[in-house]
Amino acid sequence: MKKIILLIAATLAFAKFAPNSKCQECHPLIYQEFTQSMHAKATIFKDPIHAAVWKKHPLHKKGAYKCAKCHTPAANNFKELIAPNGIGPDPKNVSQNDAVACAYCHRIEAVKEGNRTNSNVISSHPRIYFGARKEHIASPFHKIDTSKATFLKGTSCMGCHSHNRNNKGLFLCKMEYNATSECASCHMPQVPGSVSTLKKRATHAFHGFAGAHIAPKMLAKYVDLSLAPTPNGLRLTITSHIPHELLSHPARVAFVKVMVLRDGKTVWQKRELLVRIIGKNGKPTPPWLATQVLKDTMLKANESRSYSYDVTLQKGDKVVALLGYRLVKPPLAKKLGLDPKLNKPVILKKVTFIFEG
Ligand code: HEC
Ligand code: HEC
Ligand code: HEC
Ligand code: HEC
Ligand code: HEC
């Protein structure tokens, strides 16, 4: 028994960050949501898309998992993991499986700007967690510090989400911080259920981090889709209320589809792709080889965009418009050998109207 206790004490001492399982004891709801989130699944063990790209990446051969900086930043062997020594991610390592860990995020004291990527400055106190609640009770496990700008102003996301440039200097993704519409207000809205088991509260900040994989319907209200008849046919308008591009990752492809249905049959349809394609010498390439943007039709921050179509409508026609996306562009999904089940189209928004003549 003594041996086991000593062993546990030793493991805790070596883990730089308290494990997620510790937080589960008093924050079961938040923990439950978190385990479903892409932050909990950011590893090559739980994210098949990340795993497939990592396998093709030149650093894979060297065994230098530099992706750890953002995908498994709480790893207890972080330095070895990113070094070119061939060890690679270890599915048995608990701290790697903690992925973008609870304690890691809640110890982000500041964000340091950088050329290739930004970096997080982590506080040296393993048991002081930063937060944003105006009022809270004391916690028996940790201290709470609600004085940090990273949490009060909501900039804590920008160490990992602001940008990522390859070694050719090309931005693979880019997201600006917006003080009036900060990340947590949309991605971590207050939802029913208590913050902890120690004091009953009506709501807590959603820790499933709604996004392209998880609970996208929670975000659908931030994009409007409208259809209107015109003298020559139809106009479709998409209006974004998002302070960043509709989708940011270069693997993604969004689409809008407009269909005219007559007597239950599709008699006319049109599709537009909203996509950013990167590459070299005019041809698409993997992100690490890309030197230029070949095409960019992605919906921009707060953009309103209309498409007009010449089509002859008849009284009683049903017009349907969809806004959706796939996580991975189909040609890329094929190259990566992804299971097609993982890449089904997701419909974010749908509008219909009946043409009255
Ligand atoms: C600067 C931080 C950072 C680094 C370093 C980083 N990533 Fe990411 N990665 C992210 C963020 C943030 C997302 C989510 C972005 C989004 O959805 O727009 C992401 C998403 C991804 C995705 C999409 C996953 C999915 O399920 O759709 C892939 C693939 C990926 N990263 C591969 C890699 C690989 C491979 C490396 C290392 C060679 C790496 N990343 C390094 C921050 C980073
Ligand atoms: C023994 C119980 C216990 C454990 C274990 C615990 N917490 Fe807490 N935590 C609390 C209590 C109680 C509060 C205050 C809740 C309230 O006021 O409603 C709290 C509040 C917080 C806050 C809120 C900060 C703010 O905005 O006020 C954060 C962040 C937090 N905990 C993070 C964590 C993390 C991360 C872990 C795991 C590493 C963890 N907690 C483990 C009991 C615990
Ligand atoms: C330590 C780095 C890190 C920090 C800090 C971070 N993220 Fe992430 N985030 C990631 C990575 C990596 C991914 C992609 C994981 C994957 O798909 O494999 C991601 C994915 C996401 C997604 C996409 C989810 C989906 O369903 O596709 C959202 C939304 C998100 N993060 C929001 C946030 C918000 C909001 C904050 C700040 C409160 C934040 N992130 C802070 C690394 C981070
Ligand atoms: C990607 C970063 C990130 C991760 C991972 C994360 N949190 Fe949070 N958490 C935040 C942010 C940001 C807030 C403040 C949200 C806001 O401003 O509304 C927050 C708020 C909280 C609060 C206060 C809730 C409230 O409603 O005020 C608690 C408690 C908490 N987190 C605990 C946890 C626990 C436990 C985990 C893991 C199971 C976790 N967090 C994982 C970023 C994170
Ligand atoms: C006004 C609401 C709103 C705000 C504020 C906001 N987002 Fe988003 N975000 C969205 C919507 C809507 C989507 C697209 C829907 C989806 O991915 O399902 C999205 C998508 C994302 C994705 C997935 C992109 C991809 O390619 O997979 C990430 C990551 C993300 N947001 C991070 C952030 C970060 C970080 C911030 C703060 C800098 C932020 N968001 C601010 C609404 C918002």
Side-chain angles (χ1 to χ4, degrees):
M1 189 63 197
K2 238 185 194 164
K3 241 187 190 163
I4 296 173
I5 292 171
L6 273 176
L7 204 77
I8 294 171
T11 335
L12 279 178
F14 277 105
K16 201 172 159 217
F17 295 94
N20 297 344
S21 55
K22 184 71 202 171
C23 322
Q24 182 182 15
E25 292 172 17
C26 305
H27 302 291
L29 277 181
I30 289 180
Y31 176 85
Q32 191 50 39
E33 286 162 3
F34 169 80
T35 53
Q36 301 305 311
S37 78
M38 286 317 290
H39 287 140
K41 296 181 183 166
T43 61
I44 61 162
F45 325 123
K46 296 200 188 113
D47 179 354
I49 302 176
H50 176 52
V53 175
W54 166 240
K55 256 195 213 141
K56 302 259 180 204
H57 199 282
L59 286 171
H60 181 252
K61 280 196 205 86
K62 295 185 190 155
Y65 184 62
K66 289 205 177 162
C67 326
K69 183 177 180 182
C70 304
H71 286 260
T72 61
N76 59 357
N77 61 342
F78 182 81
K79 279 206 178 105
E80 292 88 335
L81 195 56
I82 61 170
N85 56 14
I87 64 166
D90 172 6
K92 292 199 199 80
N93 181 311
V94 173
S95 61
Q96 289 179 26
N97 270 294
D98 275 351
V100 182
C102 310
Y104 180 89
C105 257
H106 283 287
R107 284 173 58 189
I108 300 177
E109 189 166 39
V111 170
K112 210 170 97 199
E113 288 189 4
N115 180 31
R116 292 277 296 272
T117 69
N118 283 354
S119 302
N120 294 308
V121 179
I122 301 296
S123 87
S124 54
H125 304 284
R127 295 273 191 95
I128 300 180
Y129 299 140
F130 306 130
R133 286 191 76 86
K134 284 195 192 76
E135 182 262 318
H136 50 76
I137 60 163
S139 154
F141 176 68
H142 55 78
K143 291 207 166 65
I144 296 171
D145 178 348
T146 53
S147 70
K148 290 290 174 220
T150 40
F151 281 79
L152 294 178
K153 294 197 181 142
T155 53
S156 66
C157 321
M158 302 319 279
C160 302
H161 280 278
S162 73
H163 67 283
N164 195 348
R165 283 214 246 199
N166 67 10
N167 63 10
K168 321 274 192 274
L170 187 77
F171 283 103
L172 305 176
C173 63
K174 200 165 183 247
M175 236 178 228
E176 312 267 338
Y177 166 72
N178 185 315
T180 52
S181 178
E182 49 122 324
C183 320
S185 64
C186 296
H187 292 284
M188 305 181 74
Q190 287 288 317
V191 292
S194 193
V195 171
S196 79
T197 48
L198 278 72
K199 183 176 166 73
K200 205 168 159 40
R201 305 229 183 235
T203 63
H204 65 279
F206 180 61
H207 273 67
F209 299 90
H213 298 69
I214 309 299
K217 289 273 181 280
M218 280 176 84
L219 296 169
K221 63 179 173 208
Y222 299 110
V223 208
D224 290 330
L225 202 58
S226 69
L227 269 173
T230 60
N232 298 328
L234 279 173
R235 185 167 56 241
L236 172 72
T237 305
I238 328 173
T239 307
S240 164
H241 307 288
I242 316 170
H244 57 71
E245 288 180 305
L246 177 64
L247 294 169
S248 57
H249 197 275
R252 314 274 187 251
V253 55
F255 57 85
V256 286
K257 199 168 164 186
V258 195
M259 289 165 283
V260 176
L261 287 93
R262 195 171 295 155
D263 307 323
K265 281 197 203 99
T266 307
V267 294
W268 177 93
Q269 61 177 317
K270 258 292 190 296
R271 194 180 66 155
E272 316 286 345
L273 293 184
L274 314 182
V275 68
R276 187 163 50 92
I277 300 174
I278 53 177
K280 189 179 167 177
N281 301 329
K283 290 208 182 76
T285 64
W288 48 91
L289 298 176
T291 56
Q292 58 183 166
V293 177
L294 304 175
K295 181 178 175 181
D296 188 356
T297 55
M298 187 50 77
L299 191 69
K300 299 286 178 292
N302 297 308
E303 182 183 346
S304 180
R305 185 186 296 179
S306 292
Y307 298 98
S308 291
Y309 301 109
D310 288 349
V311 50
T312 315
L313 295 176
Q314 292 179 11
K315 189 173 156 64
D317 279 354
K318 183 176 175 185
V319 188
V320 180
L322 305 171
L323 170 66
Y325 59 88
R326 285 183 201 260
L327 290 170
V328 183
K329 295 163 183 154
L332 174 60
K334 213 170 161 192
K335 268 190 206 142
L336 293 173
L338 272 187
D339 180 349
K341 275 200 282 277
L342 297 170
N343 204 32
K344 286 195 180 140
V346 178
I347 304 302
L348 198 58
K349 245 2 238 238
K350 181 178 172 181
V351 287
T352 48
F353 86 85
I354 309 288
F355 186 64
E356 303 292 357

